[in-house]
Short mmCIF file of all heavy atoms in Angstrom, two decimals:
data_model
loop_
_atom_site.label_atom_id
_atom_site.label_comp_id
_atom_site.label_asym_id
_atom_site.label_seq_id
_atom_site.Cartn_x
_atom_site.Cartn_y
_atom_site.Cartn_z
N LYS A 1 316.18 288.32 183.59
CA LYS A 1 315.11 288.04 184.49
C LYS A 1 315.47 286.85 185.39
O LYS A 1 315.28 286.88 186.63
CB LYS A 1 313.82 287.71 183.77
CG LYS A 1 312.59 287.45 184.66
CD LYS A 1 311.36 287.21 183.87
CE LYS A 1 310.17 286.89 184.84
NZ LYS A 1 308.90 286.63 184.06
N LEU A 2 316.07 285.83 184.81
CA LEU A 2 316.50 284.65 185.61
C LEU A 2 317.67 285.02 186.48
O LEU A 2 317.71 284.62 187.70
CB LEU A 2 316.97 283.53 184.65
CG LEU A 2 317.57 282.30 185.30
CD1 LEU A 2 316.64 281.65 186.31
CD2 LEU A 2 318.00 281.29 184.22
N PHE A 3 318.58 285.84 186.01
CA PHE A 3 319.73 286.23 186.79
C PHE A 3 319.26 287.04 188.03
O PHE A 3 319.75 286.87 189.16
CB PHE A 3 320.67 287.04 185.97
CG PHE A 3 322.02 287.40 186.71
CD1 PHE A 3 322.93 286.40 186.97
CD2 PHE A 3 322.23 288.71 187.01
CE1 PHE A 3 324.11 286.74 187.60
CE2 PHE A 3 323.45 289.06 187.69
CZ PHE A 3 324.34 288.00 187.99
N LYS A 4 318.33 287.92 187.78
CA LYS A 4 317.77 288.76 188.85
C LYS A 4 317.13 287.85 189.94
O LYS A 4 317.27 288.02 191.14
CB LYS A 4 316.84 289.78 188.31
CG LYS A 4 316.07 290.61 189.39
CD LYS A 4 315.17 291.67 188.71
CE LYS A 4 314.28 292.38 189.71
NZ LYS A 4 313.20 291.52 190.33
N ASN A 5 316.33 286.88 189.39
CA ASN A 5 315.69 285.94 190.36
C ASN A 5 316.73 285.11 191.18
O ASN A 5 316.42 284.80 192.33
CB ASN A 5 314.76 284.99 189.52
CG ASN A 5 313.55 285.68 189.03
OD1 ASN A 5 313.14 286.72 189.50
ND2 ASN A 5 312.89 285.07 188.03
N ILE A 6 317.84 284.82 190.54
CA ILE A 6 318.87 284.11 191.31
C ILE A 6 319.37 285.00 192.44
O ILE A 6 319.55 284.51 193.55
CB ILE A 6 320.01 283.65 190.35
CG1 ILE A 6 319.56 282.55 189.45
CG2 ILE A 6 321.22 283.20 191.15
CD1 ILE A 6 320.52 282.22 188.36
N LEU A 7 319.64 286.25 192.17
CA LEU A 7 320.10 287.16 193.20
C LEU A 7 319.11 287.35 194.28
O LEU A 7 319.46 287.36 195.48
CB LEU A 7 320.58 288.44 192.57
CG LEU A 7 321.72 288.39 191.57
CD1 LEU A 7 321.93 289.80 190.89
CD2 LEU A 7 322.98 287.90 192.21
N THR A 8 317.88 287.57 193.91
CA THR A 8 316.91 287.79 195.00
C THR A 8 316.59 286.49 195.70
O THR A 8 316.43 286.49 196.93
CB THR A 8 315.57 288.33 194.37
OG1 THR A 8 315.13 287.42 193.34
CG2 THR A 8 315.78 289.71 193.73
N GLY A 9 316.70 285.35 194.99
CA GLY A 9 316.49 284.09 195.64
C GLY A 9 317.58 283.76 196.61
O GLY A 9 317.31 283.17 197.69
N LEU A 10 318.82 284.14 196.34
CA LEU A 10 319.88 283.90 197.30
C LEU A 10 319.57 284.73 198.63
O LEU A 10 319.76 284.16 199.68
CB LEU A 10 321.21 284.48 196.73
CG LEU A 10 321.93 283.62 195.70
CD1 LEU A 10 323.03 284.41 194.99
CD2 LEU A 10 322.50 282.34 196.33
N ASN A 11 319.06 285.90 198.48
CA ASN A 11 318.85 286.70 199.66
C ASN A 11 317.56 286.26 200.44
O ASN A 11 317.50 286.50 201.65
CB ASN A 11 318.73 288.16 199.30
CG ASN A 11 320.09 288.82 199.14
OD1 ASN A 11 320.71 289.20 200.19
ND2 ASN A 11 320.57 288.99 197.91
N MET A 12 316.67 285.56 199.77
CA MET A 12 315.54 285.05 200.43
C MET A 12 315.91 283.66 201.07
O MET A 12 315.57 283.40 202.27
CB MET A 12 314.37 284.82 199.48
CG MET A 12 313.78 286.16 198.96
SD MET A 12 312.52 285.92 197.69
CE MET A 12 311.32 284.96 198.59
N THR A 13 316.56 282.82 200.31
CA THR A 13 316.86 281.43 200.79
C THR A 13 317.88 281.50 201.93
O THR A 13 317.72 280.69 202.85
CB THR A 13 317.45 280.64 199.60
OG1 THR A 13 316.50 280.62 198.52
CG2 THR A 13 317.81 279.20 200.09
N PHE A 14 318.90 282.40 201.87
CA PHE A 14 319.88 282.43 202.91
C PHE A 14 319.73 283.68 203.77
O PHE A 14 320.68 284.24 204.33
CB PHE A 14 321.25 282.38 202.27
CG PHE A 14 321.45 281.12 201.47
CD1 PHE A 14 321.51 281.20 200.03
CD2 PHE A 14 321.62 279.92 202.02
CE1 PHE A 14 321.66 280.10 199.23
CE2 PHE A 14 321.83 278.75 201.22
CZ PHE A 14 321.86 278.80 199.90
N HIS A 15 318.43 284.11 203.94
CA HIS A 15 318.23 285.36 204.69
C HIS A 15 318.68 285.17 206.16
O HIS A 15 318.33 284.19 206.83
CB HIS A 15 316.76 285.68 204.74
CG HIS A 15 316.36 286.87 205.60
ND1 HIS A 15 316.80 288.11 205.35
CD2 HIS A 15 315.54 286.92 206.70
CE1 HIS A 15 316.33 288.93 206.31
NE2 HIS A 15 315.58 288.20 207.13
N ASN A 16 319.60 286.09 206.63
CA ASN A 16 320.04 286.05 207.98
C ASN A 16 320.75 284.69 208.30
O ASN A 16 320.65 284.19 209.42
CB ASN A 16 318.92 286.31 209.02
CG ASN A 16 318.76 287.81 209.28
OD1 ASN A 16 319.66 288.60 209.12
ND2 ASN A 16 317.59 288.19 209.75
N LYS A 17 321.47 284.16 207.33
CA LYS A 17 322.17 282.93 207.56
C LYS A 17 323.62 283.02 207.26
O LYS A 17 324.14 283.90 206.54
CB LYS A 17 321.57 281.79 206.64
CG LYS A 17 320.15 281.42 207.04
CD LYS A 17 319.66 280.33 206.17
CE LYS A 17 318.20 279.88 206.59
NZ LYS A 17 317.66 278.85 205.71
N THR A 18 324.38 282.15 207.87
CA THR A 18 325.82 282.01 207.52
C THR A 18 325.96 280.78 206.67
O THR A 18 325.22 279.79 206.83
CB THR A 18 326.73 281.88 208.80
OG1 THR A 18 326.33 280.64 209.45
CG2 THR A 18 326.58 283.07 209.71
N VAL A 19 326.79 280.86 205.62
CA VAL A 19 326.85 279.79 204.62
C VAL A 19 328.27 279.49 204.23
O VAL A 19 329.21 280.25 204.52
CB VAL A 19 326.11 280.27 203.35
CG1 VAL A 19 324.63 280.56 203.63
CG2 VAL A 19 326.76 281.48 202.70
N ASP A 20 328.41 278.33 203.61
CA ASP A 20 329.66 277.90 202.96
C ASP A 20 329.56 278.39 201.48
O ASP A 20 328.50 278.40 200.90
CB ASP A 20 329.87 276.40 203.01
CG ASP A 20 330.02 275.92 204.44
OD1 ASP A 20 330.62 276.67 205.21
OD2 ASP A 20 329.62 274.79 204.69
N GLY A 21 330.69 278.66 200.92
CA GLY A 21 330.76 279.06 199.54
C GLY A 21 330.14 278.07 198.59
O GLY A 21 329.52 278.40 197.59
N SER A 22 330.25 276.77 198.91
CA SER A 22 329.75 275.70 198.08
C SER A 22 328.22 275.78 197.97
O SER A 22 327.60 275.42 196.97
CB SER A 22 330.19 274.37 198.61
OG SER A 22 329.75 274.20 199.96
N GLU A 23 327.58 276.31 199.07
CA GLU A 23 326.10 276.45 198.97
C GLU A 23 325.70 277.48 197.97
O GLU A 23 324.70 277.35 197.27
CB GLU A 23 325.58 276.83 200.38
CG GLU A 23 325.75 275.74 201.43
CD GLU A 23 325.24 276.19 202.80
OE1 GLU A 23 324.10 276.09 203.08
OE2 GLU A 23 326.14 276.66 203.62
N ILE A 24 326.40 278.59 197.97
CA ILE A 24 326.09 279.65 197.01
C ILE A 24 326.29 279.21 195.56
O ILE A 24 325.56 279.44 194.69
CB ILE A 24 327.01 280.88 197.35
CG1 ILE A 24 326.65 281.44 198.78
CG2 ILE A 24 326.72 282.02 196.33
CD1 ILE A 24 325.26 281.78 199.02
N GLN A 25 327.47 278.52 195.37
CA GLN A 25 327.79 278.03 194.07
C GLN A 25 326.72 277.00 193.55
O GLN A 25 326.31 277.07 192.39
CB GLN A 25 329.19 277.40 194.03
CG GLN A 25 330.28 278.35 194.32
CD GLN A 25 331.65 277.65 194.37
OE1 GLN A 25 331.83 276.60 193.77
NE2 GLN A 25 332.59 278.21 195.10
N HIS A 26 326.36 276.08 194.38
CA HIS A 26 325.38 275.11 194.01
C HIS A 26 324.01 275.75 193.72
O HIS A 26 323.33 275.36 192.72
CB HIS A 26 325.19 274.10 195.19
CG HIS A 26 324.12 273.04 194.87
ND1 HIS A 26 324.31 272.06 193.97
CD2 HIS A 26 322.87 272.98 195.41
CE1 HIS A 26 323.18 271.32 193.95
NE2 HIS A 26 322.30 271.85 194.76
N TYR A 27 323.64 276.78 194.52
CA TYR A 27 322.31 277.48 194.31
C TYR A 27 322.35 278.13 192.93
O TYR A 27 321.40 277.96 192.16
CB TYR A 27 322.11 278.50 195.35
CG TYR A 27 320.82 279.19 195.27
CD1 TYR A 27 319.68 278.75 195.91
CD2 TYR A 27 320.64 280.32 194.43
CE1 TYR A 27 318.39 279.33 195.80
CE2 TYR A 27 319.41 280.92 194.32
CZ TYR A 27 318.28 280.48 195.00
OH TYR A 27 317.08 281.10 194.89
N ILE A 28 323.39 278.77 192.62
CA ILE A 28 323.46 279.52 191.24
C ILE A 28 323.39 278.48 190.13
O ILE A 28 322.62 278.67 189.17
CB ILE A 28 324.75 280.33 191.18
CG1 ILE A 28 324.71 281.48 192.14
CG2 ILE A 28 324.98 280.79 189.76
CD1 ILE A 28 325.99 282.30 192.27
N SER A 29 324.17 277.37 190.23
CA SER A 29 324.12 276.35 189.20
C SER A 29 322.74 275.70 189.02
O SER A 29 322.17 275.50 187.96
CB SER A 29 325.15 275.27 189.51
OG SER A 29 326.48 275.71 189.30
N GLU A 30 322.08 275.46 190.19
CA GLU A 30 320.82 274.75 190.20
C GLU A 30 319.72 275.68 189.54
O GLU A 30 318.99 275.26 188.72
CB GLU A 30 320.39 274.41 191.60
CG GLU A 30 319.02 273.74 191.77
CD GLU A 30 318.61 273.56 193.16
OE1 GLU A 30 318.85 274.38 194.04
OE2 GLU A 30 318.05 272.43 193.41
#
C-alpha cells in the first residue's frame, strides 16, 4: 500500500515536470 502510494505520489508530485534523479531518489526515501 505504501509502495503504491509512492508510485502514484511521484506521478502527482512531478506531474508534467522535468526532474533530476536526486529528486526521485529523495522522494522515495522520504
Side-chain angles (χ1 to χ4, degrees):
K1 181 178 180 180
L2 174 58
F3 186 71
K4 174 178 176 291
N5 288 341
I6 290 172
L7 296 176
T8 56
L10 282 169
N11 278 281
M12 292 174 63
T13 303
F14 301 107
H15 176 64
N16 271 337
K17 291 183 179 178
T18 63
V19 300
D20 296 327
S22 58
E23 295 177 83
I24 300 300
Q25 295 177 26
H26 176 75
Y27 183 93
I28 292 173
S29 292
E30 179 184 42

